[in-house]
Amino acid sequence: MRFSIIIPTLNEAAGIEACLLALQALRADCELVVVDGGSVDGTVKLAMPLADKVLVSKPGRARQMNHGAGHATGEVLVFLHADTYLPAQALELVAAHLDGIHQWGRFDVRLTGPHVMLKVIACMMNWRSRWTGIATGDQVIFATRGAFVAAGAYPDIALMEDIAFSKALKKISKPACLKAKASSSGRRWERHGVLQTMVLMWWLRGRFACGADPDKLAALYAKGRLWTCG
């Protein structure tokens, strides 16, 4: 089974080398595809020696991941954020769980950082995902190429593309919810305040479910708060 790990980036110079170095041992069984959305901090230059393909597309995580999938050669597509690390034996676990019942899935997640609430938030994310069958990008969504195509790829929206993609994939098969934990940075949670970010994310998901404009939700997400004044 051939894998392609697709990593969307935008100004990730501080961490892209560490991200790609952690994946080097997997390159015998997979290709590493970095898709940059217009970084101005040297991300592309740093990624080139450590990836099989470094592509450039218009910015937007969904657009970048779809662009990477279009140039990838793997039978299985793994979508990895630049601040997230795979668990041990990740590809073996994916291969073992993609069967006639499951054509896509995700890992459990742990959020790294000193704040004690990050562990609680990660547990809530994992429980909610297991209950609803919906995955977030931090949980490293993976899918067979056939499922990716059948789901219509990631919708080209500014926010919640992972939620919408999961819902489309659920129509194809149940997700494989792997208990092995991917490690994702809690930097955004800590930057804007853990409790405030938690409330914000709940509110954004609720508004998205009610049909709110993803562009307007993305503006609030970028600010890291519910209010727009100031």
Side-chain angles (χ1 to χ4, degrees):
M1 187 175 289
R2 175 74 172 171
F3 293 84
S4 294
I5 299 178
I6 299 166
I7 307 169
T9 59
L10 182 62
N11 295 327
E12 293 286 356
I16 190 60
E17 286 181 299
C19 171
L20 292 172
L21 284 170
L23 299 170
Q24 294 304 299
L26 304 179
R27 291 178 74 178
D29 299 312
C30 75
E31 63 177 352
L32 305 182
V33 181
V34 174
V35 188
D36 192 74
S39 294
V40 295
D41 65 349
T43 296
V44 169
K45 183 178 180 180
L46 292 170
M48 280 184 172
L50 299 170
D52 298 290
K53 297 175 182 176
V54 179
L55 311 172
V56 176
S57 80
K58 293 181 179 180
R61 185 172 281 166
R63 189 177 295 125
Q64 290 170 237
M65 292 188 291
N66 288 340
H67 188 68
H71 288 78
T73 61
E75 303 165 65
V76 179
L77 307 176
V78 180
F79 298 97
L80 181 70
H81 291 181
D83 62 354
T84 302
Y85 292 81
L86 292 173
Q89 308 300 314
L91 300 188
E92 289 87 344
L93 290 169
V94 171
H97 285 83
L98 289 179
D99 49 32
I101 299 175
H102 305 104
Q103 296 186 50
W104 72 285
R106 92 307 180 265
F107 294 93
D108 275 358
V109 67
R110 69 165 57 91
L111 297 174
T112 60
H115 200 293
V116 67
M117 280 299 295
L118 291 176
K119 293 183 180 180
V120 176
I121 291 166
C123 286
M124 293 171 63
M125 290 170 62
N126 296 330
W127 177 84
R128 181 187 64 213
S129 176
R130 200 171 296 275
W131 179 57
T132 63
I134 300 297
T136 66
D138 289 337
Q139 293 175 300
V140 190
I141 296 173
F142 54 85
T144 65
R145 180 173 292 279
F148 177 83
V149 172
Y154 280 93
D156 190 5
I157 54 179
L159 193 69
M160 302 293 173
E161 75 288 337
D162 47 2
I163 307 300
F165 185 49
S166 294
K167 289 181 177 179
L169 286 169
K170 279 182 63 178
K171 297 178 181 178
I172 299 167
S173 81
K174 294 180 179 180
C177 297
L178 306 190
K179 293 182 179 180
K181 290 182 171 64
S183 297
S184 187
S185 173
R187 59 184 179 175
R188 177 179 177 81
W189 298 83
E190 294 177 325
R191 183 188 311 127
H192 297 296
V194 172
L195 295 178
Q196 177 170 284
T197 302
M198 181 171 64
V199 172
L200 172 65
M201 294 308 299
W202 284 348
W203 188 86
L204 291 174
R205 285 172 67 97
R207 293 295 299 147
F208 179 72
C210 292
D213 183 352
D215 288 335
K216 294 181 179 179
L217 297 180
L220 291 173
Y221 177 78
K223 288 178 177 291
R225 60 193 184 193
L226 288 174
W227 56 91
T228 57
C229 59

